[in-house]
Amino acid sequence: MRGCTGRFPVASLKHLVALRPSAINHDGIDRPHVGLENIEPWTGRFLGEPVAPDNDPSTEPGGTALGKVFEPNDVLFGKLRPYLAKAWLADFRGRSTTELLVMRPVKIEPRFLQYALMSPDFVDAVDAATFGSRMPRAEWSDIGCLPVPFPEPSMQCVIADYLDRETEGIDGSIAAKERLLSLLAERRRALITRAVTGELNQSVPRSTTGINWLREIPAHWKVARLRFLAARMEQGWSPPAENREPLADEWGVLKLNAVCQGRFDESAAKTLPSDIEVPSDLEIRDGDFLITRSNTPSLVGDVCFVATPKPRLMLSDLIYRLTLADGVIDPRFLAYFLTTPVGRCQIEMDARGTSASMVKISQEHIKDWRVPVPPMEEQQRIVGLLNYKTALIDRLVSTAVRSVAVLKERRSTMIASVVTGRLDAEDQACSSLD
């Protein structure tokens, strides 16, 4: 035992638990597999379903199980990207990825241990011990030496009971806000889809298009392939760059996530070295229409319209720039359409790749995308309406997102204060009954 944090003594984690070894044997084959994706950050909730043994990709062809076996009441902690604070109290027998440490509590109450491992103080200490920039991870040799609050066993149970009650209420509020966010996202998506397919005005005669994913549009609208609406398409360049946002006097090259669901994020850029000469024709300009050429199947072909970008941003080789013909289609209308489920249907059909996780879209495929084309004045009216109504929804979203952030911060702060004794769980429990 060493030192103190708050009013409780502390002990090294390795003195309170027994670390279960990696299981590379036949004993774990019949156990369901749990990955990092199954543990929710900062809450310890289990997500989804464990992978059944018959479908487990972590089992070698010869029948050897890879990973670590765990038992009920073991506590699993993610050592890869530990800043995500993935700590789960197991409630069934299974087998985990090797990126999870499996600890059997020996001298500490399992529920108290889980809360202690989700305390920001502990998570920050683990994160400081990581190595690797792209896939930061920490090892047991460092994690096991970190101090953990260690009150008397009876107090551990009191604290765990109190935190179970209090976090349940906070988690319920967070879940309600997240349901609201989901409903707002669906409302926004439905509004845009109806507007860009001409369904807002039901009194207008409609005609069939002969296209499975775009069955009907107003009779006075047309459908055109994008090649007939565009004057030019080009791809950028990505020289070596520093992975930080450029300063005002520095050049930056766009990252892939600069194009995100119809929005342009000018902060998503890497800093170019001062000796790089940027071709003037690759600078991002007001009115550019951008399309991502490579990403996951659900994100490839993402688009956005650029309005008033900051200077010194360069088009990257991950993104196409489309120059639209004058007076034919409003780029904002096109962006709205290509971010709807209807517009993305053809995008995802055209995606090609050697793996299921990363695909590409070619320029020829993009030129063949079909788009509804209302008269220009009607396009502009639709854009004005969508700008107004989506702004109202986006304000509600921003308020809900801030509320979720506040609730999560309150949860983390409460756990940190209670497990260290800075906040007395017994006093808090009594005051809640008054």
Side-chain angles (χ1 to χ4, degrees):
M1 192 174 296
R2 64 185 189 187
C4 283
T5 176
R7 69 184 177 92
F8 293 146
V10 299
S12 296
L13 180 59
K14 64 184 178 182
H15 294 147
L16 304 176
V17 302
L19 187 67
R20 294 195 184 271
S22 295
I24 305 179
N25 54 50
H26 294 275
D27 296 337
I29 293 177
D30 293 331
R31 294 173 178 241
H33 186 267
V34 170
L36 284 167
E37 68 277 6
N38 293 121
I39 303 174
E40 186 174 53
W42 292 102
T43 69
R45 284 202 298 260
F46 193 84
L47 302 174
E49 296 291 334
V51 177
D54 290 345
N55 300 318
D56 189 354
S58 68
T59 301
E60 289 185 334
T64 300
L66 305 178
K68 300 180 179 181
V69 294
F70 61 83
E71 301 292 336
N73 286 324
D74 283 351
V75 177
L76 283 65
F77 182 81
K79 63 178 184 177
L80 176 65
R81 298 190 179 96
Y83 55 81
L84 294 175
K86 295 195 172 190
W88 175 56
L89 177 59
D91 56 2
F92 59 84
R93 298 172 73 247
R95 180 165 48 87
S96 77
T97 170
T98 55
E99 298 294 358
L100 284 162
L101 294 173
V102 179
M103 292 169 273
R104 177 172 62 86
V106 176
K107 299 179 181 179
I108 190 168
E109 211 279 337
R111 291 178 301 148
F112 179 86
L113 174 61
Q114 182 192 23
Y115 283 120
L117 299 183
M118 289 191 294
S119 170
D121 292 342
F122 182 84
V123 173
D124 288 345
V126 177
D127 193 40
T130 59
F131 59 91
S133 56
R134 294 188 62 187
M135 303 282 281
R137 57 169 54 81
E139 294 300 339
W140 175 248
S141 57
D142 295 312
I143 297 173
C145 294
L146 295 176
V148 174
F150 188 49
E152 293 296 323
S154 59
M155 179 56 68
Q156 294 179 31
C157 292
V158 169
I159 289 172
D161 289 341
Y162 172 76
L163 288 176
D164 283 348
R165 292 191 302 271
E166 294 301 310
T167 57
E168 182 180 6
I170 294 175
D171 290 344
S173 298
I174 291 173
K177 295 291 184 182
E178 289 176 340
R179 285 194 296 272
L180 173 61
L181 287 169
S182 179
L183 290 172
L184 289 171
E186 179 54 38
R187 180 179 175 183
R188 191 182 196 278
R189 190 161 45 244
L191 168 67
I192 295 172
T193 301
R194 292 184 64 210
V196 298
T197 56
E199 294 182 7
L200 290 181
N201 188 351
Q202 294 293 326
S203 64
V204 174
R206 299 178 67 81
S207 61
T208 58
T209 64
I211 305 170
N212 289 336
W213 46 267
L214 182 64
R215 295 182 180 178
E216 288 187 348
I217 56 173
H220 64 287
W221 288 21
K222 299 178 181 178
V223 175
R225 295 188 185 275
L226 202 49
R227 67 174 66 251
F228 300 115
L229 307 175
R232 182 183 176 193
M233 181 180 286
E234 60 195 319
Q235 183 177 332
W237 172 46
S238 292
E242 187 178 348
N243 192 19
R244 64 173 176 83
E245 186 178 350
L247 302 175
D249 60 343
E250 295 177 314
W251 275 92
V253 59
L254 293 184
K255 296 196 288 189
L256 192 59
N257 59 345
V259 183
C260 183
Q261 298 180 342
R263 299 179 176 90
F264 178 65
D265 181 2
E266 62 183 18
S267 68
K270 294 182 180 182
T271 301
L272 291 171
S274 58
D275 59 349
I276 292 288
E277 185 175 347
V278 177
S280 59
D281 61 339
L282 290 185
E283 183 173 6
I284 299 299
R285 301 181 295 267
D286 181 17
D288 281 350
F289 191 90
L290 306 180
I291 306 173
T292 60
R293 73 175 186 89
S294 177
N295 211 324
T296 63
S298 63
L299 294 175
V300 70
D302 206 350
V303 304
C304 75
F305 170 72
V306 180
T308 60
K310 67 181 183 182
R312 296 178 179 251
L313 288 178
M314 187 180 82
L315 187 67
S316 78
D317 68 347
L318 300 173
I319 299 172
Y320 296 124
R321 174 164 57 194
L322 190 67
T323 301
L324 297 171
D326 291 336
V328 179
I329 190 164
D330 189 310
R332 299 167 298 173
F333 178 88
L334 180 61
Y336 274 126
F337 174 73
L338 291 176
T339 54
T340 66
V342 174
R344 284 203 55 80
C345 181
Q346 59 188 324
I347 297 173
E348 294 177 13
M349 286 190 298
D350 287 340
R352 301 288 187 272
T354 56
S355 71
S357 60
M358 188 61 66
V359 294
K360 295 181 180 180
I361 294 284
S362 72
Q363 292 193 28
E364 288 305 309
H365 277 128
I366 292 172
K367 291 175 182 177
D368 274 342
W369 291 349
R370 286 177 284 188
V371 179
V373 185
M376 179 58 74
E377 289 187 2
E378 189 172 353
Q379 291 180 45
Q380 293 170 345
R381 287 198 303 271
I382 291 171
V383 167
L385 175 68
L386 289 178
N387 285 348
Y388 173 72
K389 291 197 170 185
T390 57
L392 296 177
I393 295 173
D394 291 345
R395 282 200 288 271
L396 294 174
V397 168
S398 295
T399 300
V401 168
R402 286 195 299 269
S403 296
V404 169
V406 169
L407 288 166
K408 288 182 176 180
E409 179 62 26
R410 183 184 303 168
R411 190 186 199 280
S412 295
T413 300
M414 179 182 63
I415 290 173
S417 298
V418 174
V419 297
T420 59
R422 295 195 294 267
L423 185 66
D424 193 304
E426 289 181 315
D427 288 349
Q428 293 297 311
C430 290
S431 64
S432 67
L433 298 174
D434 293 340

